Amino acid sequence: MDEEQRFSFDTWGFLCVEEAISPEQVRELKTTVDEKGPDLHSQHADRGGFWSQAFVDLLDVPVISNILQEIYGGASADGLPPFRIDHINIHTHGTFNKDLAGGTLHGGNGRLLNPQRAPELVTHYFARDTDRQTFANGLVTVAYELEDTLCNQGGFGCLAGSHKGHFPVPEPWRDLAKGVHPMITRVPARAGSAIIFTEALFHVTLPWTAPSTRTTLFYKYTGREESYSGPNNFFAPSDADQWQGIDERKRTILTPPPQAVIERKAELARQEQDTDAGQ
Protein backbone atom coordinates (compact mmCIF):
# COMPACT_ATOMS: atom_id res chain seq x y z
CA MET A 1 0.00 0.00 0.00
CA ASP A 2 1.05 3.56 -0.49
CA GLU A 3 0.57 6.25 2.15
CA GLU A 4 -2.89 7.30 0.95
CA GLN A 5 -4.18 3.74 0.65
CA ARG A 6 -2.94 2.82 4.11
CA PHE A 7 -4.59 5.86 5.66
CA SER A 8 -7.85 5.25 3.79
CA PHE A 9 -8.15 1.60 4.74
CA ASP A 10 -7.20 2.17 8.36
CA THR A 11 -9.39 5.24 8.86
CA TRP A 12 -12.42 4.62 6.63
CA GLY A 13 -12.34 0.83 6.18
CA PHE A 14 -12.05 0.98 2.40
CA LEU A 15 -9.86 2.25 -0.42
CA CYS A 16 -10.28 2.60 -4.17
CA VAL A 17 -7.73 1.47 -6.79
CA GLU A 18 -8.28 3.19 -10.13
CA GLU A 19 -7.52 1.26 -13.35
CA ALA A 20 -7.06 -1.98 -11.44
CA ILE A 21 -8.06 -3.86 -14.59
CA SER A 22 -7.80 -2.80 -18.22
CA PRO A 23 -10.63 -1.60 -20.49
CA GLU A 24 -10.23 -4.85 -22.45
CA GLN A 25 -10.77 -6.90 -19.29
CA VAL A 26 -13.80 -4.77 -18.39
CA ARG A 27 -15.37 -5.39 -21.80
CA GLU A 28 -14.74 -9.14 -21.68
CA LEU A 29 -16.05 -9.53 -18.13
CA LYS A 30 -19.14 -7.42 -18.80
CA THR A 31 -19.96 -9.29 -22.02
CA THR A 32 -19.72 -12.60 -20.19
CA VAL A 33 -21.94 -11.42 -17.33
CA ASP A 34 -24.51 -10.12 -19.80
CA GLU A 35 -24.56 -13.56 -21.44
CA LYS A 36 -24.67 -15.58 -18.21
CA GLY A 37 -26.87 -13.44 -15.98
CA PRO A 38 -26.60 -12.94 -12.20
CA ASP A 39 -25.93 -16.56 -11.20
CA LEU A 40 -24.28 -16.22 -7.79
CA HIS A 41 -21.31 -18.36 -6.80
CA SER A 42 -21.26 -19.65 -10.38
CA GLN A 43 -17.48 -19.99 -10.39
CA HIS A 44 -17.55 -23.27 -8.43
CA ALA A 45 -16.76 -26.40 -10.43
CA ASP A 46 -19.99 -28.12 -9.38
CA ARG A 47 -21.98 -25.15 -10.76
CA GLY A 48 -20.32 -24.86 -14.13
CA GLY A 49 -16.91 -23.58 -13.12
CA PHE A 50 -15.26 -20.29 -13.98
CA TRP A 51 -17.04 -18.47 -16.78
CA SER A 52 -13.94 -17.29 -18.65
CA GLN A 53 -10.20 -16.77 -18.44
CA ALA A 54 -10.84 -13.20 -17.31
CA PHE A 55 -12.68 -14.42 -14.19
CA VAL A 56 -9.76 -16.69 -13.32
CA ASP A 57 -7.27 -13.87 -13.83
CA LEU A 58 -9.11 -11.75 -11.24
CA LEU A 59 -8.08 -14.20 -8.52
CA ASP A 60 -4.59 -12.68 -8.42
CA VAL A 61 -4.37 -9.20 -9.92
CA PRO A 62 -0.84 -8.00 -8.98
CA VAL A 63 -1.79 -4.44 -7.94
CA ILE A 64 -4.63 -5.84 -5.80
CA SER A 65 -2.73 -8.81 -4.37
CA ASN A 66 0.05 -6.53 -3.14
CA ILE A 67 -2.54 -4.62 -1.11
CA LEU A 68 -4.24 -7.78 0.13
CA GLN A 69 -0.90 -9.10 1.32
CA GLU A 70 -0.52 -6.13 3.65
CA ILE A 71 -4.16 -6.33 4.72
CA TYR A 72 -3.53 -9.93 5.78
CA GLY A 73 -0.44 -9.20 7.84
CA GLY A 74 2.36 -9.26 5.31
CA ALA A 75 4.18 -11.92 3.33
CA SER A 76 3.85 -15.55 4.37
CA ALA A 77 6.95 -17.52 5.30
CA ASP A 78 6.53 -19.68 2.19
CA GLY A 79 6.31 -16.62 -0.07
CA LEU A 80 2.78 -17.51 -1.20
CA PRO A 81 -0.33 -15.33 -0.74
CA PRO A 82 -1.48 -15.13 2.91
CA PHE A 83 -5.11 -15.07 1.71
CA ARG A 84 -7.62 -17.37 -0.02
CA ILE A 85 -10.73 -16.75 -2.09
CA ASP A 86 -13.81 -17.50 -0.01
CA HIS A 87 -16.62 -16.77 -2.47
CA ILE A 88 -17.57 -14.64 -5.47
CA ASN A 89 -20.75 -12.61 -5.97
CA ILE A 90 -22.01 -10.84 -9.07
CA HIS A 91 -24.34 -7.87 -8.57
CA THR A 92 -26.49 -6.70 -11.45
CA HIS A 93 -29.92 -5.10 -11.73
CA GLY A 94 -32.33 -6.71 -9.33
CA THR A 95 -29.64 -8.67 -7.50
CA PHE A 96 -29.09 -7.71 -3.86
CA ASN A 97 -30.57 -4.24 -4.24
CA LYS A 98 -34.34 -4.64 -4.19
CA ASP A 99 -34.93 -3.92 -7.86
CA LEU A 100 -32.64 -0.87 -7.76
CA ALA A 101 -34.38 0.74 -4.79
CA GLY A 102 -31.39 0.30 -2.46
CA GLY A 103 -30.11 -2.41 -0.15
CA THR A 104 -29.85 -2.87 3.60
CA LEU A 105 -26.77 -1.86 5.61
CA HIS A 106 -24.86 -4.93 6.77
CA GLY A 107 -21.44 -5.90 8.10
CA GLY A 108 -19.90 -4.65 11.31
CA ASN A 109 -16.89 -5.59 13.42
CA GLY A 110 -18.10 -8.71 15.23
CA ARG A 111 -15.23 -8.64 17.71
CA LEU A 112 -16.33 -5.21 18.93
CA LEU A 113 -20.08 -5.74 18.64
CA ASN A 114 -20.00 -9.13 20.37
CA PRO A 115 -16.69 -9.50 22.25
CA GLN A 116 -17.87 -12.64 24.08
CA ARG A 117 -18.12 -14.66 20.89
CA ALA A 118 -15.32 -17.08 19.98
CA PRO A 119 -12.90 -15.34 17.57
CA GLU A 120 -13.01 -18.30 15.18
CA LEU A 121 -16.71 -17.63 14.61
CA VAL A 122 -16.17 -13.94 13.87
CA THR A 123 -15.16 -13.52 10.24
CA HIS A 124 -15.98 -9.79 10.01
CA TYR A 125 -13.18 -8.08 11.87
CA PHE A 126 -10.48 -5.45 11.56
CA ALA A 127 -7.40 -4.93 13.74
CA ARG A 128 -4.12 -3.04 13.56
CA ASP A 129 -0.93 -4.24 15.27
CA THR A 130 0.86 -1.03 16.16
CA ASP A 131 4.03 -2.86 17.22
CA ARG A 132 4.44 -4.74 13.95
CA GLN A 133 2.71 -2.04 11.88
CA THR A 134 0.53 -4.64 10.20
CA PHE A 135 -3.18 -5.25 9.69
CA ALA A 136 -5.14 -8.34 10.70
CA ASN A 137 -8.38 -8.99 8.85
CA GLY A 138 -11.09 -11.54 8.30
CA LEU A 139 -13.43 -11.28 5.31
CA VAL A 140 -12.27 -8.60 2.87
CA THR A 141 -13.95 -7.79 -0.43
CA VAL A 142 -12.52 -6.57 -3.73
CA ALA A 143 -15.38 -5.04 -5.73
CA TYR A 144 -14.54 -4.61 -9.42
CA GLU A 145 -16.77 -2.00 -11.02
CA LEU A 146 -17.58 -2.71 -14.67
CA GLU A 147 -19.70 0.45 -15.07
CA ASP A 148 -18.99 4.04 -14.05
CA THR A 149 -20.63 4.73 -10.69
CA LEU A 150 -21.22 8.34 -9.66
CA CYS A 151 -22.06 9.67 -6.20
CA ASN A 152 -25.77 10.15 -6.80
CA GLN A 153 -26.37 7.32 -9.25
CA GLY A 154 -25.82 4.19 -7.16
CA GLY A 155 -23.15 1.61 -6.47
CA PHE A 156 -21.18 1.08 -3.27
CA GLY A 157 -22.03 2.97 -0.10
CA CYS A 158 -20.88 2.62 3.50
CA LEU A 159 -20.65 4.20 6.91
CA ALA A 160 -17.03 5.27 6.67
CA GLY A 161 -15.07 4.35 9.81
CA SER A 162 -17.78 2.07 11.20
CA HIS A 163 -15.37 -0.90 11.16
CA LYS A 164 -14.08 0.57 14.44
CA GLY A 165 -17.52 1.03 15.95
CA HIS A 166 -18.73 -0.64 19.17
CA PHE A 167 -22.45 -0.18 18.52
CA PRO A 168 -24.92 -1.49 15.93
CA VAL A 169 -26.28 0.73 13.18
CA PRO A 170 -29.41 2.67 14.23
CA GLU A 171 -32.43 0.83 12.84
CA PRO A 172 -33.86 3.84 10.90
CA TRP A 173 -30.63 4.05 8.88
CA ARG A 174 -30.61 0.44 7.67
CA ASP A 175 -33.06 0.15 4.76
CA LEU A 176 -32.03 2.41 1.88
CA ALA A 177 -35.23 1.59 0.03
CA LYS A 178 -36.84 3.90 2.61
CA GLY A 179 -34.27 6.67 2.15
CA VAL A 180 -30.52 7.24 2.24
CA HIS A 181 -29.34 8.68 5.55
CA PRO A 182 -26.96 11.65 5.08
CA MET A 183 -24.26 9.87 7.11
CA ILE A 184 -23.87 7.22 4.39
CA THR A 185 -20.77 7.73 2.23
CA ARG A 186 -21.34 7.36 -1.51
CA VAL A 187 -18.19 5.97 -3.15
CA PRO A 188 -17.80 6.83 -6.85
CA ALA A 189 -15.63 4.62 -9.06
CA ARG A 190 -15.04 4.42 -12.79
CA ALA A 191 -15.25 1.18 -14.73
CA GLY A 192 -12.07 -0.84 -14.15
CA SER A 193 -11.63 0.46 -10.60
CA ALA A 194 -11.58 -1.82 -7.57
CA ILE A 195 -13.02 -0.88 -4.19
CA ILE A 196 -11.34 -2.88 -1.41
CA PHE A 197 -13.14 -2.94 1.92
CA THR A 198 -13.22 -4.88 5.15
CA GLU A 199 -16.57 -6.57 5.75
CA ALA A 200 -16.29 -5.18 9.29
CA LEU A 201 -17.33 -1.92 7.65
CA PHE A 202 -21.09 -1.36 7.53
CA HIS A 203 -21.77 -1.22 3.80
CA VAL A 204 -24.68 -1.20 1.39
CA THR A 205 -25.89 -1.03 -2.21
CA LEU A 206 -27.09 2.48 -3.04
CA PRO A 207 -30.26 3.01 -5.10
CA TRP A 208 -29.27 2.72 -8.76
CA THR A 209 -30.43 5.66 -10.90
CA ALA A 210 -27.82 5.58 -13.68
CA PRO A 211 -29.03 4.82 -17.23
CA SER A 212 -26.57 1.90 -17.50
CA THR A 213 -27.03 -1.57 -16.03
CA ARG A 214 -25.11 -2.18 -12.82
CA THR A 215 -22.35 -4.80 -13.07
CA THR A 216 -20.06 -5.30 -10.07
CA LEU A 217 -17.94 -8.38 -9.34
CA PHE A 218 -17.25 -9.09 -5.67
CA TYR A 219 -14.20 -11.27 -4.97
CA LYS A 220 -14.24 -12.05 -1.25
CA TYR A 221 -11.13 -13.22 0.59
CA THR A 222 -10.15 -14.47 4.02
CA GLY A 223 -6.83 -15.46 5.59
CA ARG A 224 -5.56 -18.87 4.49
CA GLU A 225 -6.67 -20.50 7.75
CA GLU A 226 -10.11 -18.92 7.92
CA SER A 227 -13.43 -19.11 6.11
CA TYR A 228 -16.73 -17.30 5.96
CA SER A 229 -18.50 -19.80 3.69
CA GLY A 230 -19.13 -23.37 4.73
CA PRO A 231 -17.37 -26.44 3.28
CA ASN A 232 -20.01 -26.86 0.56
CA ASN A 233 -18.89 -23.55 -0.93
CA PHE A 234 -15.12 -24.02 -0.76
CA PHE A 235 -13.08 -23.66 -3.91
CA ALA A 236 -10.37 -26.19 -4.78
CA PRO A 237 -7.08 -25.83 -6.68
CA SER A 238 -8.45 -28.13 -9.36
CA ASP A 239 -11.25 -25.66 -10.16
CA ALA A 240 -8.85 -23.78 -12.43
CA ASP A 241 -7.09 -26.74 -14.07
CA GLN A 242 -8.40 -26.01 -17.57
CA TRP A 243 -7.34 -22.36 -17.57
CA GLN A 244 -4.07 -20.65 -18.51
CA GLY A 245 -1.59 -19.11 -16.10
CA ILE A 246 -2.48 -21.37 -13.20
CA ASP A 247 0.56 -21.21 -10.97
CA GLU A 248 1.23 -22.07 -7.34
CA ARG A 249 -0.06 -18.66 -6.27
CA LYS A 250 -3.50 -19.18 -7.79
CA ARG A 251 -3.69 -22.75 -6.46
CA THR A 252 -2.93 -21.41 -2.98
CA ILE A 253 -5.67 -18.79 -3.33
CA LEU A 254 -8.13 -21.54 -4.33
CA THR A 255 -7.14 -23.88 -1.48
CA PRO A 256 -9.68 -24.45 1.35
CA PRO A 257 -8.65 -23.79 4.95
CA PRO A 258 -7.07 -26.67 6.90
CA GLN A 259 -9.46 -29.42 8.00
CA ALA A 260 -8.54 -28.85 11.65
CA VAL A 261 -9.74 -25.24 11.35
CA ILE A 262 -13.01 -26.37 9.77
CA GLU A 263 -13.63 -28.89 12.55
CA ARG A 264 -12.75 -26.39 15.28
CA LYS A 265 -15.16 -23.82 13.86
CA ALA A 266 -17.95 -26.40 13.56
CA GLU A 267 -17.46 -27.52 17.16
CA LEU A 268 -17.51 -23.95 18.47
CA ALA A 269 -20.69 -23.28 16.50
CA ARG A 270 -22.32 -26.35 18.06
CA GLN A 271 -21.28 -25.21 21.53
CA GLU A 272 -22.67 -21.75 20.88
CA GLN A 273 -25.94 -23.23 19.65
CA ASP A 274 -26.25 -25.46 22.70
CA THR A 275 -25.58 -22.50 25.02
CA ASP A 276 -28.22 -20.39 23.27
CA ALA A 277 -30.73 -23.24 23.45
CA GLY A 278 -30.16 -23.61 27.18
CA GLN A 279 -30.82 -19.98 27.98
Side-chain angles (χ1 to χ4, degrees):
M1 290 187 191
D2 63 27
E3 182 181 27
E4 292 184 2
Q5 291 170 336
R6 195 172 292 113
F7 178 86
S8 298
F9 190 80
D10 180 52
T11 303
W12 298 327
F14 72 92
L15 61 89
C16 186
V17 180
E18 296 182 351
E19 299 179 349
I21 56 177
S22 69
E24 292 75 22
Q25 286 175 292
V26 170
R27 284 194 293 271
E28 179 181 345
L29 290 162
K30 191 172 184 306
T31 297
T32 303
V33 171
D34 289 344
E35 292 173 351
K36 295 288 187 177
D39 183 13
L40 305 180
H41 305 288
S42 58
Q43 317 306 313
H44 288 281
D46 63 350
R47 300 165 202 178
F50 284 97
W51 285 351
S52 72
Q53 181 69 50
F55 278 91
V56 178
D57 292 342
L58 289 187
L59 290 169
D60 190 23
V61 177
V63 67
I64 301 299
S65 292
N66 287 340
I67 294 172
L68 289 175
Q69 177 170 292
E70 183 168 342
I71 284 174
Y72 284 105
S76 299
D78 57 12
L80 295 170
F83 51 85
R84 55 175 288 275
I85 188 72
D86 188 87
H87 61 286
I88 298 170
N89 288 344
I90 300 167
H91 289 203
T92 63
H93 276 189
T95 304
F96 283 113
N97 64 345
K98 298 184 180 179
D99 297 324
L100 317 183
T104 302
L105 276 161
H106 56 285
N109 190 332
R111 296 192 178 179
L112 297 178
L113 296 171
N114 188 359
Q116 304 304 316
R117 199 170 190 219
E120 293 93 335
L121 298 177
V122 180
T123 51
H124 294 189
Y125 70 87
F126 166 95
R128 175 77 175 165
D129 186 326
T130 54
D131 293 330
R132 297 178 57 216
Q133 294 296 301
T134 58
F135 292 107
N137 281 278
L139 191 64
V140 171
T141 296
V142 181
Y144 293 99
E145 297 290 0
L146 304 188
E147 293 282 353
D148 291 347
T149 59
L150 304 178
C151 279
N152 294 316
Q153 293 188 350
F156 178 75
C158 65
L159 289 171
S162 59
H163 60 303
K164 297 183 178 182
H166 292 77
F167 300 96
V169 172
E171 194 61 36
W173 298 16
R174 287 184 176 273
D175 190 351
L176 269 64
K178 298 178 181 178
V180 181
H181 193 278
M183 285 295 292
I184 292 175
T185 300
R186 304 166 188 259
V187 182
R190 296 202 174 277
S193 297
I195 300 170
I196 303 176
F197 62 95
T198 167
E199 292 270 343
L201 178 74
F202 281 105
H203 55 282
V204 70
T205 295
L206 294 161
W208 187 270
T209 62
S212 58
T213 299
R214 186 190 188 195
T215 310
T216 307
L217 310 182
F218 290 81
Y219 276 56
K220 305 200 172 196
Y221 297 87
T222 66
R224 270 162 56 175
E225 297 198 354
E226 290 188 285
S227 69
Y228 172 81
S229 299
N232 291 339
N233 286 318
F234 289 160
F235 285 92
S238 59
D239 288 347
D241 279 351
Q242 64 176 305
W243 302 103
Q244 299 176 359
I246 303 305
D247 54 14
E248 192 175 4
R249 285 185 56 86
K250 288 190 178 69
R251 292 189 183 280
T252 297
I253 292 170
L254 288 165
T255 298
Q259 184 61 32
V261 172
I262 299 169
E263 293 173 358
R264 167 71 174 164
K265 186 174 179 179
E267 176 57 29
L268 286 169
R270 282 194 293 269
Q271 293 175 13
E272 183 179 74
Q273 188 174 37
D274 290 344
T275 298
D276 291 342
Q279 291 178 349

